Amino acid sequence: MRMTGNFLAASAVTLKVGVVFWVLVAWRTPGGEPWDAPAFWTVVYPIALGIAAVLGACFPQRAWLWGLLLIALQVPVVAVTSGVGPLLLAGLAYALVLALPAMAIAAAAGALRRRLHGRS
């Protein structure tokens, strides 16, 4: 994978947006683990999927990667806010499963953007 300016910019934006989002969620969640938030499935995860769609549309090349990165950023945020525990590896596996819909949504948004702008 060749590192281009656009790829680096997309990575930096995704990292910043993802860390800020998950830190805010962890801050509002007892215990600091986003997936333990009472409103995770009804509010937090849908917002994360929306952010993945926006990132995919903004950076349509390798758009699936922005969905993966966004959701996977939960794990380091949890490690920093709650500490590293014996279930961190399970949390990583859980985050990777949760990343699949985000990857699909980001890829679809990127494909739609490329199609609307006449690029394949």
Side-chain angles (χ1 to χ4, degrees):
M1 183 179 330
R2 210 174 90 209
M3 295 286 185
T4 63
N6 194 33
F7 179 81
L8 292 175
S11 299
V13 168
T14 303
L15 285 168
K16 289 175 187 172
V17 168
V19 167
V20 168
F21 176 71
W22 292 117
V23 165
L24 290 173
V25 171
W27 175 62
R28 298 287 299 166
T29 303
E33 296 178 353
W35 47 76
D36 286 340
F40 182 79
W41 293 108
T42 57
V43 178
V44 175
Y45 191 58
I47 290 172
L49 294 177
I51 293 170
V54 170
L55 289 168
C58 289
F59 305 106
Q61 302 295 36
R62 297 183 201 96
W64 62 270
L65 185 59
W66 316 132
L68 172 63
L69 186 57
L70 175 71
I71 301 299
L73 281 169
Q74 289 180 82
V75 177
V77 169
V78 167
V80 169
T81 59
S82 300
V84 176
L87 293 177
L88 191 62
L89 189 55
L92 177 60
Y94 187 59
L96 292 176
V97 170
L98 290 176
L100 294 174
M103 292 164 63
I105 288 170
L112 180 61
R113 164 115 187 257
R114 287 191 309 272
R115 185 172 184 189
L116 291 175
H117 288 284
R119 290 183 252 144
S120 53

